[in-house]
């Protein structure tokens, strides 16, 4: 193994995999899990007839990263490799790709889609694969796509079906599963092992070498005193109380303290109640209160001006789209207070003390002649934008030579980065053109980011897995892991809890590893059978739920103006993913806006224009048009923008899978025959 450049601890953790056992490699961030997996893949290809290696990742950007940085450099000269993601056309002929190449690196969703698609050029069986490598395998639980794939695997295994691929999982931490007692944490680790049909391995004999390779950073709690005066926040709360009075909070509902996550949960429930009870006043007031609560949360974490701007961005489009007296009151309240809010937000005497503490932490690590690299982890895309704006406009930080940029998840939303933008940002950070990344959780897991000597957790409440992954980014010698938080705040309590859970996870894994092979196999087989029974019961329940109502008996209402706009019988499922309205009359209810931009291409369709409610000045966003096979224009409807009127009353749903009627699959042939009878006869 020496010619491959493995450390002794890596050689130790791959031993059982080389003996063709199913294993999970547990090594910290920066410990070289992927390099170890490449070595296992190489040996597997050398020793297995008709070998077929598939590497699954859970994020699109990891496909090219693993291909370019690890697998191609070490395997490319002797074997054929292919990276496939939603961005590439190869996904549309995935069955052919798997037949042609020795190693395929893809997102898990692509493999799962191929497993359930029976078209010859697209279909893939697990038996077509001889080694299945699962990156960040701690996600193999609940309804994740990893677990859907492995559920098929486990079912075949329990039924005695062969052949099945060898499994190699990679994780920095399986976590404690939210458990706080060792016995329960052991059960969680066993469940992850059962889901992956694998034992979990870690280094036992070479811990000093691992600690030297991946040094732990020095953790500091950079604590600030609670804000003494907050006139901006107080003014927002007074406005919220005026809305409370206007809306007449139902006597059987209670609203907890403004500016908390608990308050947000309360108003979310009130909005749903308003929609269900056809009480638009209640629903809209609750919706606006959530925005004010968001502003208070921003005020607690970022600058007052950031909080003010979040409200301004919410209200500007609403000024031209007031629908009834409720809207007039709510928009009017903001307009009446706008000047005063802006004045208070601009008063530096009352600025958030956390920002001054963050500035101090950064100044201690950066300077004109100081070589530093750092990451600030923050909760939302919005907060990363605000922090980046603050860094760019902060004279002291600019004089310290800080060159910052945002790093957030890739996607098709207006606030998402494209994959190319992500790649450019990481490349500039690696080359030293940037020295500070301001990131959401996307940089915690998987991304190939250079060693940092400063990691800051700012305004974050996450679990022990995310904490360990973030801490693992501070791998440079004498690095610092800083938690900037308010004295007695939830962030400090959560960080301390996560430290305990990290230790608990280690103890739980040790307990599992100490089990005899016979006991371990007995326990995970029992868990696998229980999971299979539960899955069948859930599938039966889902089928029953989908049969609760007929599609024709369910009406769809705009969630804003509550006007009935469609029937459930108008909805069809396209490509097992998109829910569209095929009724030509539906176009009377919406108006088209700007083009929907997406950073990828699709086999059968391309995005068209965004669609909004056409009822007076409602303007509620509904979704976007899909131009299907260059012929059919199909409005793609996001269910959370609608209410459902069912025979059992009105309801709201977050996802289409939760509706209580069966949605028929879209037939392009039938659609063309109905809408273009002269052409498609």
């Amino acid at each position: 193994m020496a010619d491959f450049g493995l450390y002794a601890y890596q050689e130790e953790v791959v031993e059982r995999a080389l003996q063709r056992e199913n294993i999970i490699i547990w090594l910290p961030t920066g410990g070289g899990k992927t390099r170890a997996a490449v070595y296992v893949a190489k040996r597997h290809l050398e020793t297995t007839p008709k070998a077929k290696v598939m590497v699954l990742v859970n994020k699109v950007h990891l496909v090219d990263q693993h291909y370019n940085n690890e697998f191609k450099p070490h395997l490319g000269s002797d074997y054929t490799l292919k990276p496939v993601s939603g961005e590439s056309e190869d996904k549309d002929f995935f069955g052919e790709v798997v037949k042609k190449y020795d190693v395929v690196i893809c997102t898990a969703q692509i493999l799962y889609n191929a497993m359930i698609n029976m078209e010859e050029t697209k279909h893939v069986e697990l038996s077509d694969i001889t080694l299945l490598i699962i990156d960040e395998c701690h996600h193999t639980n609940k309804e994740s796509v990893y677990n859907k794939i492995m559920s098929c695997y486990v079912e075949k295994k329990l039924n005695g079906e062969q052949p099945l691929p060898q499994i190699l999982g990679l994780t920095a931490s399986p976590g404690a599963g939210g458990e706080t007692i060792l016995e329960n944490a052991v059960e969680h680790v066993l469940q992850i092992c059962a889901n992956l049909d694998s034992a979990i391995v870690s280094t036992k004999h070479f811990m000093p070498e691992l600690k030297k390779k991946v040094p732990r950073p020095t953790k500091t709690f950079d604590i600030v005193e609670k804000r003494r005066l907050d006139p901006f926040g107080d003014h927002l709360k007074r406005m919220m109380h005026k809305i409370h009075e206007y809306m007449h909070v139902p006597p059987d509902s209670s609203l907890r303290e403004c500016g908390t996550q608990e308050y947000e949960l309360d108003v979310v429930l009130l909005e749903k109640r308003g929609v269900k009870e056809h009480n638009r006043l209640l629903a809209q007031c609750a919706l606006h209160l959530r925005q004010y609560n968001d502003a208070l949360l921003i005020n607690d974490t970022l600058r007052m001006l950031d909080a003010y701007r979040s409200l301004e961005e919410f209200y500007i489009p609403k000024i031209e789209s007031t629908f009834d007296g409720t809207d007039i009151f709510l928009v009017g309240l903001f307009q009446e207070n706008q000047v005063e809010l802006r004045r208070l937000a601009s008063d530096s005497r009352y600025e958030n003390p956390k920002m001054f503490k963050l500035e101090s932490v950064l100044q201690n690590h950066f300077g004109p002649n100081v070589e530093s690299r750092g990451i600030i982890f923050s909760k939302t895309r919005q907060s990363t934008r605000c922090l980046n704006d603050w860094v760019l406009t902060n004279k002291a930080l600019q004089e310290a030579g800080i060159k910052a940029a945002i790093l957030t998840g890739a996607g098709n939303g207006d606030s998402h980065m494209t994959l190319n933008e992500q790649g450019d940002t990481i490349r500039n950070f690696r080359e030293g053109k940037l020295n500070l990344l301001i990131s959401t959780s996307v940089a915690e897991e998987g991304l190939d980011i250079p060693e940092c000597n400063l990691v800051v957790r700012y305004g974050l409440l996450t679990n022990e897995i995310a904490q360990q992954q973030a801490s693992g980014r501070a791998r440079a010698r004498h690095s610092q892991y800083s938690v900037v938080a308010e004295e007695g705040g939830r962030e400090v309590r959560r960080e301390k809890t996560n430290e305990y859970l990290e230790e608990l996870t280690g103890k739980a894994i040790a307990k599992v590893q100490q089990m005899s092979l016979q006991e371990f196999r007995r326990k995970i087989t029992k868990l696998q059978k229980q999971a299979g029974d539960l899955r069948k019961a859930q599938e039966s329940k889902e089928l029953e739920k989908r049969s609760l109502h007929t599609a024709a008996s369910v009406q769809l209402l705009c969630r804003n103006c509550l006007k009935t706009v469609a029937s459930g019988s108008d909805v069809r499922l396209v490509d097992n993913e998109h829910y569209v309205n095929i009724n030509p009359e539906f176009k009377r209810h919406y108006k088209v806006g700007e083009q929907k931009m997406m950073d990828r291409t699709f086999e059968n369709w391309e995005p068209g224009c965004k669609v909004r409610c056409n009822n007076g000045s409602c303007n509620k966003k509904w979704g976007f048009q899909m131009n299907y096979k260059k012929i059919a224009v199909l409005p793609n409807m996001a269910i959370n923008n609608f209410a459902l009127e069912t025979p059992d009353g009105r309801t709201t749903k977050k996802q289409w899978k939760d509706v209580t009627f069966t949605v028929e699959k879209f037939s392009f042939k039938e659609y063309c025959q109905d809408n273009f009878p002269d052409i498609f006869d």
Side-chain angles (χ1 to χ4, degrees):
M1 298 187 203
D3 61 326
F4 201 77
L6 292 189
Y7 289 89
Y9 69 83
Q10 289 173 308
E11 294 179 4
E12 181 184 8
V13 297
V14 301
E15 280 178 5
R16 290 172 65 179
L18 297 180
Q19 294 165 20
R20 301 188 183 276
E21 287 186 52
N22 288 358
I23 67 159
I24 300 165
I25 292 177
W26 173 45
L27 287 175
T29 300
K33 294 180 292 294
T34 311
R35 180 63 56 84
V38 175
Y39 182 76
V40 173
K42 182 174 185 291
R43 287 287 300 275
H44 182 87
L45 288 161
E46 290 169 349
T47 59
T48 307
K50 298 181 180 178
K52 190 72 63 178
V53 177
M54 187 170 292
V55 184
L56 300 184
V57 298
N58 64 328
K59 302 273 179 64
V60 173
H61 56 257
L62 297 179
V63 172
D64 284 336
Q65 177 180 297
H66 283 348
Y67 173 74
N68 290 320
N69 297 4
E70 293 288 351
F71 284 87
K72 186 181 178 183
H74 293 96
L75 304 179
S77 59
D78 298 315
Y79 303 99
T80 56
L81 292 83
K82 188 67 176 178
V84 184
S85 71
E87 315 301 311
S88 61
E89 294 181 2
D90 294 297
K91 70 181 185 299
D92 301 326
F93 309 97
F94 194 62
E96 298 297 322
V97 170
V98 172
K99 288 176 185 175
K100 184 177 178 182
Y101 292 91
D102 300 317
V103 181
V104 177
I105 305 167
C106 65
T107 50
Q109 190 65 53
I110 286 175
L111 173 59
Y112 183 69
N113 290 347
M115 287 167 62
I116 61 176
N117 192 319
M118 293 300 122
E119 289 183 43
E120 187 177 347
T121 58
K122 298 181 180 182
H123 184 64
V124 173
E125 287 281 351
L126 285 171
S127 56
D128 298 331
I129 306 162
T130 56
L131 173 63
L132 186 62
I133 299 173
I134 303 178
D135 191 34
E136 308 294 354
C137 69
H138 52 272
H139 292 297
T140 312
N141 56 24
K142 299 178 181 176
E143 295 302 309
S144 74
V145 67
Y146 277 169
N147 211 26
K148 289 178 180 177
I149 292 168
M150 286 307 301
S151 294
C152 297
Y153 179 103
V154 169
E155 185 177 353
K156 288 177 182 294
K157 173 215 162 186
L158 293 175
N159 290 336
E161 295 181 35
Q162 294 290 340
L164 287 171
Q166 178 186 349
I167 303 296
L168 177 62
L170 311 175
T171 185
S173 173
E179 304 294 348
T180 56
I181 300 169
L182 179 58
E183 183 182 352
N184 296 343
V186 168
E187 199 67 16
H188 168 73
V189 173
L190 279 169
Q191 187 65 65
I192 294 292
C193 291
N195 293 348
L196 287 154
D197 195 46
S198 301
I200 186 165
V201 299
S202 55
T203 183
K204 300 294 181 190
H205 306 298
F206 300 99
M207 278 302 294
E209 183 187 53
L210 176 60
K211 287 180 178 178
K212 185 178 179 182
K213 172 70 170 63
V214 190
R216 297 283 299 230
T218 301
K219 178 182 277 192
T220 60
F221 288 94
D222 293 296
I223 305 300
V224 298
E225 291 183 6
K226 194 175 178 69
R227 225 181 201 149
R228 290 178 183 160
L229 294 171
D230 184 15
F232 174 76
D234 293 340
H235 196 92
L236 288 179
K237 289 175 183 178
R238 285 194 292 272
M239 294 172 69
M240 293 168 79
H241 287 302
K242 285 186 179 181
I243 299 175
H244 292 169
E245 292 170 2
Y246 178 81
M247 72 193 284
H248 302 298
V249 179
D252 58 344
S253 294
S254 61
L255 292 173
R256 284 168 283 186
E257 184 183 354
C258 296
T260 63
Q261 297 291 347
E262 291 77 17
Y263 181 91
E264 179 176 330
L265 292 173
D266 294 338
V267 293
V268 165
L269 290 174
L270 269 185
E271 189 272 339
K272 289 180 179 177
R273 177 172 175 172
V275 171
K276 290 176 184 177
E277 296 178 356
H278 209 133
N279 185 342
R280 188 174 185 275
L281 185 150
L282 182 65
Q284 289 302 304
C285 286
L287 199 65
H288 286 244
L289 284 169
R290 184 175 181 181
Q291 292 298 322
Y292 280 101
N293 197 64
D294 282 349
L296 284 173
L297 292 169
I298 293 169
N299 181 52
D300 185 53
T301 309
L302 303 163
R303 297 170 296 183
M304 294 182 291
L305 272 173
D306 296 321
Y308 168 76
R309 286 170 186 157
S310 73
L311 280 174
E312 194 173 56
E313 288 172 10
F314 175 74
Y315 276 102
I316 285 173
K318 294 197 174 294
I319 292 170
E320 300 299 323
S321 60
T322 50
F323 185 75
D324 60 15
T326 299
D327 293 340
I328 292 169
F329 167 76
L330 292 167
V331 172
L333 179 66
F334 176 74
Q335 289 179 313
E336 289 165 14
N337 289 272
Q338 192 171 3
V339 173
E340 179 64 6
L341 284 173
R342 192 186 295 119
R343 184 187 71 78
L344 291 170
S346 303
D347 193 332
S348 59
R349 291 177 297 169
Y350 308 112
E351 193 51 272
N352 188 347
K354 291 179 190 173
M355 301 298 290
F356 297 117
K357 178 61 73 173
L358 179 59
E359 181 178 337
S360 172
V361 169
L362 292 173
Q363 283 185 307
N364 286 340
H365 281 80
F366 290 89
N369 300 309
V370 179
E371 288 287 327
S372 279
R373 275 201 183 99
I375 303 178
I376 301 174
F377 285 106
S378 192
K379 184 178 180 181
T380 64
R381 289 186 293 272
Q382 180 187 36
S383 63
T384 62
R385 292 195 302 272
C386 294
L387 285 170
N388 189 53
D389 178 70
W390 169 70
V391 169
L392 294 176
T393 56
N394 184 300
K395 186 179 178 184
L397 296 182
Q398 290 304 298
E399 288 177 352
I402 292 180
K403 297 166 286 187
I406 294 166
L407 181 63
T408 61
N412 298 307
D414 295 335
S415 60
H416 286 80
M417 297 183 81
T418 66
L419 282 171
N420 287 336
E421 288 169 339
Q422 262 191 357
D424 290 343
T425 298
I426 293 169
R427 184 164 48 255
N428 288 334
F429 188 62
R430 186 178 293 113
E431 293 173 356
K433 296 174 185 175
L434 299 170
N435 55 16
L436 180 67
L437 295 180
I438 303 171
S439 179
T440 54
S441 60
V442 68
E444 288 172 348
E445 185 175 272
L447 276 177
D448 183 24
I449 291 171
E451 294 177 350
C452 297
N453 59 330
L454 175 65
V455 167
V456 181
R457 302 266 287 173
Y458 190 76
L460 272 180
L461 293 168
T462 57
N463 63 20
E464 73 279 10
I465 297 175
Q467 178 179 309
Q468 284 174 257
Q469 289 171 328
S471 173
R473 291 299 173 193
R475 299 199 298 271
R477 299 291 167 193
H478 312 299
S479 57
Q480 180 181 343
Y481 173 88
S482 165
V483 180
V484 177
E486 189 177 276
E487 188 176 16
R490 291 191 302 170
E491 295 96 335
V492 175
R493 293 197 299 274
R494 180 63 64 85
E495 200 76 18
K496 295 286 188 184
T497 299
N498 286 343
E499 288 175 4
Y500 165 74
L501 293 176
E502 181 180 349
E503 188 178 330
L504 186 69
T505 301
K507 290 178 180 177
I509 292 171
K511 284 274 189 185
V512 171
Q513 291 174 334
Q514 287 162 11
M515 292 177 183
S516 67
L517 184 60
Q518 185 180 12
E519 181 189 9
F520 174 75
R521 279 289 158 202
R522 179 176 56 79
K523 284 180 179 290
I524 70 163
T525 300
K526 181 181 177 182
L527 288 170
Q528 288 171 341
K529 289 177 179 177
Q530 288 174 345
D533 292 341
L534 180 61
R535 191 162 49 251
K536 286 171 185 173
Q538 287 173 335
E539 287 170 0
S540 177
K541 192 175 178 181
E542 282 290 312
L543 193 61
E544 187 180 324
K545 182 183 73 177
R546 287 290 182 115
S547 306
L548 197 59
H549 302 118
T550 64
S553 70
V554 177
Q555 301 298 306
L556 278 73
L557 292 71
C558 171
R559 190 155 177 168
N560 181 50
C561 67
L562 302 181
K563 180 184 177 182
T564 301
V565 294
S567 166
S569 58
D570 299 333
V571 183
R572 295 291 185 274
L573 176 60
V574 175
D575 296 344
N576 285 316
E577 187 175 0
H578 308 285
Y579 291 82
V580 301
N581 192 312
I582 63 164
N583 190 336
E585 292 298 306
F586 183 58
K587 68 177 65 171
R588 295 190 298 110
H589 296 292
Y590 69 81
K591 53 189 172 187
V592 297
E594 68 274 26
Q595 173 71 30
K596 171 77 173 177
M597 305 304 295
M598 301 183 83
D599 186 39
R600 56 184 292 195
T601 58
F602 304 89
E603 180 185 9
N604 292 320
W605 63 277
E606 56 188 26
C609 295
K610 296 179 182 179
V611 299
R612 295 172 178 266
C613 180
N614 198 27
N615 183 22
S617 56
C618 175
N619 276 328
K620 174 70 176 175
K621 292 179 182 176
W622 283 352
F624 64 93
Q625 292 175 325
M626 294 172 61
N627 297 323
Y628 193 80
K629 295 192 175 180
K630 303 188 183 300
I631 293 174
V633 178
L634 307 171
N636 186 336
M637 305 161 65
I639 190 62
N640 60 335
N641 294 328
F642 296 87
L644 300 174
E645 192 75 71
T646 76
D648 296 321
R650 189 173 295 179
T651 186
T652 57
K653 300 294 180 186
K654 276 187 175 181
Q655 297 177 299
W656 276 103
K657 69 179 180 64
D658 298 322
V659 299
T660 56
F661 61 94
T662 301
V663 178
E664 292 182 31
K665 289 193 174 183
F666 175 71
S667 167
F668 181 63
K669 182 179 179 181
E670 286 180 17
Y671 178 87
C672 292
Q673 287 172 342
D674 291 342
N675 290 273
F676 311 104
D678 296 336
I679 304 173
F680 297 91
D681 194 0

